[in-house]
């Protein structure tokens, strides 16, 4: 797969040309145009070429190549470097696949670099090109469009995690508590924590992009980032609510496990008490006393047996009614 997904010049919100890397520097000199390049897991050599064309900072290029960065926003002179984590649910293996998208934003260019599991932004670009009156706002609107797409990808992930929580709750209350159920809850809690770590910094990033001290974002584009900010807050609240429910489910599972163990202990105690009666009688008659007058009576043996079994039956009925058996 070609690491250069798209390299396009826009003027007035409309696509005017597809560019080679060596043509970009000439287009950047034209103030009425801006360049939007999309890269997917580029090599270090390709990133160096992009760096030379856009005059990007060495540290930002190093981060964009190595990936595995925390979500952040950094300013390098007149260029912004933004890192976001992407997420999508792997329905085959039933876990979340995380990726990263890095942005280089300048006055007349935007470069997106995708790493790992991440949907292509072809549809985002097409949507922007179909609304030239919005894309004419420049690279800032392109940044918003991609960020909005990334945030929207989190909603199906949260919904899938909520469905997984419902399935776990059914296991807890409809089946006997098990070690597998506890393991599922912990795995769900870990996935929620991973999503939390990805989405929480995005709130601060959007907040900074809405502020007036970042001149690369035009004033008429900042309200769009408020929309991304609101969506991020909503996802964060959904995560907090789901995490609380998972914690409650874990506590319920532990409580039901303790109750189940208590029920087993009561059954053992009940049967031990019942078995203790014949054990006691047998122990008395096994002490071999020389004088035991009842041994000479013809009805003594059946009376002792009847009494023993009678006491066992009485204890069984008592424990049964008490819920111990």
């Amino acid at each position: 797969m070609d690491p250069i997904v798209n390299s396009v010049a826009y003027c007035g919100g409309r696509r005017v040309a597809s560019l080679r890397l060596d043509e970009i520097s000439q287009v950047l000199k034209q103030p009425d145009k801006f360049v939007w390049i999309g890269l997917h897991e580029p090599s270090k050599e390709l990133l160096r070429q992009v760096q030379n064309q856009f005059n990007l900072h060495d540290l930002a290029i190093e981060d964009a190549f190595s990936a595995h960065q925390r979500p952040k926003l950094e300013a390098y002179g007149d260029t912004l470097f933004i890192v976001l984590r992407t997420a999508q649910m792997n329905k085959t293996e039933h876990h979340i696949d995380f990726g990263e998208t890095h942005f280089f934003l300048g006055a007349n260019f935007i470069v997106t670099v995708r790493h790992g599991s991440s949907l292509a932004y072809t549809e985002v670009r097409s949507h922007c090109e179909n609304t030239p009156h919005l894309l004419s706002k420049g690279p800032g609107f392109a940044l918003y469009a991609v960020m909005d797409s990334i945030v929207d990808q989190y909603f199906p992930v949260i919904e899938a995690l909520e469905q997984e929580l419902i399935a776990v709750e059914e296991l807890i209350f409809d089946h006997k508590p098990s070690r597998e159920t506890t393991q599922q809850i912990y795995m769900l809690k870990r996935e929620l924590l991973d999503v939390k770590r990805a989405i929480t910094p995005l709130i601060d990033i959007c907040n900074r992009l809405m502020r007036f001290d970042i001149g690369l974002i035009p004033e008429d584009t900042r309200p769009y980032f408020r929309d991304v900010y609101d969506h991020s807050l909503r996802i964060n609240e959904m995560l907090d609510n789901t995490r609380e429910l998972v914690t409650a489910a874990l506590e319920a599972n532990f409580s039901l496990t303790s109750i189940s163990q208590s029920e087993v202990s009561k059954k053992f105690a009940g049967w031990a008490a019942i078995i203790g009666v014949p054990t006691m009688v047998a122990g008395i008659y096994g002490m071999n006393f020389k004088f035991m007058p009842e041994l000479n009576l013809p009805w003594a043996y059946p009376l002792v047996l009847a009494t023993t079994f009678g006491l066992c039956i009485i204890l069984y009925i008592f424990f049964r009614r008490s819920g111990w058996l």
Side-chain angles (χ1 to χ4, degrees):
M1 181 179 177
D2 189 354
I4 303 178
V5 181
N6 251 312
S7 178
V8 181
Y10 295 91
C11 181
R14 299 186 184 277
R15 178 193 289 249
V16 293
S18 295
L19 304 174
R20 299 192 309 271
L21 285 182
D22 56 359
E23 298 174 333
I24 292 175
S25 57
Q26 295 299 321
V27 176
L28 294 179
K29 296 177 181 178
Q30 304 175 31
D32 60 333
K33 295 179 181 178
F34 79 91
V35 178
W36 183 354
I37 293 183
L39 306 177
H40 180 248
E41 297 187 348
S43 63
K44 199 163 190 176
E45 292 73 19
L46 178 58
L47 281 176
R48 290 300 179 191
Q49 295 178 37
V50 173
Q51 178 186 17
N52 293 333
Q53 292 295 322
F54 294 101
N55 193 27
L56 304 176
H57 199 279
D58 287 335
L59 293 177
I61 290 294
E62 205 60 43
D63 288 345
F65 173 72
S66 60
H68 303 292
Q69 302 293 319
R70 62 177 180 83
K72 61 182 179 179
L73 185 154
E74 295 177 342
Y76 293 97
D78 56 354
T79 303
L80 291 182
F81 177 63
I82 303 171
V83 179
L84 299 183
R85 294 194 69 190
T86 60
Q88 54 183 327
M89 183 60 70
N90 188 323
K91 297 181 180 180
T92 304
E93 300 181 6
H94 301 286
H95 69 84
I96 303 174
D97 290 332
F98 288 97
E100 291 182 25
T101 297
H102 301 182
F103 300 88
F104 294 94
L105 182 73
N108 56 350
F109 69 86
I110 178 172
V111 179
T112 62
V113 183
R114 290 191 295 122
H115 289 279
S117 177
S118 175
L119 297 177
Y121 301 127
T122 307
E123 292 185 4
V124 177
R125 186 187 290 265
S126 299
H127 176 71
C128 291
E129 291 177 351
N130 290 331
T131 54
H133 63 289
L134 295 177
L135 190 56
S136 62
K137 297 179 183 296
F141 182 81
L143 173 65
Y144 151 75
V146 178
M147 288 182 62
D148 185 57
S149 174
I150 291 174
V151 173
D152 287 345
Q153 291 174 21
Y154 277 92
F155 285 103
V157 172
I158 302 299
E159 291 174 1
L161 293 177
E162 289 176 345
Q163 292 299 318
E164 189 175 342
L165 174 59
I166 293 173
V168 168
E169 288 175 338
E170 291 177 354
L171 285 176
I172 293 174
F173 295 106
D174 296 342
H175 300 79
K176 290 184 179 179
S178 64
R179 183 175 182 179
E180 290 75 17
T181 303
T182 304
Q183 186 176 0
Q184 279 186 270
I185 297 174
Y186 270 110
M187 292 300 295
L188 178 57
K189 197 168 186 178
R190 180 181 297 177
E191 287 183 327
L192 286 167
L193 180 59
D194 289 338
V195 178
K196 179 79 172 177
R197 288 172 176 170
I199 204 68
T200 300
L202 183 56
I203 298 174
D204 181 60
I205 291 173
C206 293
N207 193 29
R208 290 185 62 187
L209 290 172
M210 291 187 299
R211 285 159 46 184
F212 292 94
D213 58 341
I214 299 182
L216 289 174
I217 307 298
E219 187 175 351
D220 60 347
T221 307
R222 288 173 185 151
Y224 292 97
F225 289 98
R226 189 177 300 116
D227 180 64
V228 181
Y229 176 78
D230 291 339
H231 286 180
S232 302
L233 283 179
R234 181 182 169 191
I235 292 173
N236 194 52
E237 291 174 357
M238 293 170 67
L239 281 171
D240 289 338
N241 293 336
T242 307
R243 289 180 69 192
E244 290 179 3
L245 290 174
V246 170
T247 301
L250 185 61
E251 293 175 352
N253 187 61
F254 284 146
S255 299
L256 291 175
T257 301
S258 300
I259 292 173
S260 178
Q261 292 174 347
S262 177
E263 292 293 330
V264 173
S265 300
K266 288 194 293 184
K267 289 182 179 180
F268 278 128
W271 284 113
I274 293 172
I275 296 173
V277 174
T279 302
M280 180 188 66
V281 174
I284 293 173
Y285 280 91
M287 288 190 292
N288 296 320
F289 287 109
K290 184 175 182 180
F291 298 104
M292 297 184 74
E294 66 274 13
L295 294 178
N296 297 324
L297 299 175
W299 42 266
Y301 183 67
L303 178 62
V304 170
L305 287 179
T307 303
T308 302
F309 282 112
L311 288 173
C312 290
I313 292 172
I314 292 172
L315 286 174
Y316 177 81
I317 294 173
F318 173 76
F319 287 128
R320 187 75 176 178
R321 290 180 177 177
S322 300
W324 282 44
L325 294 177

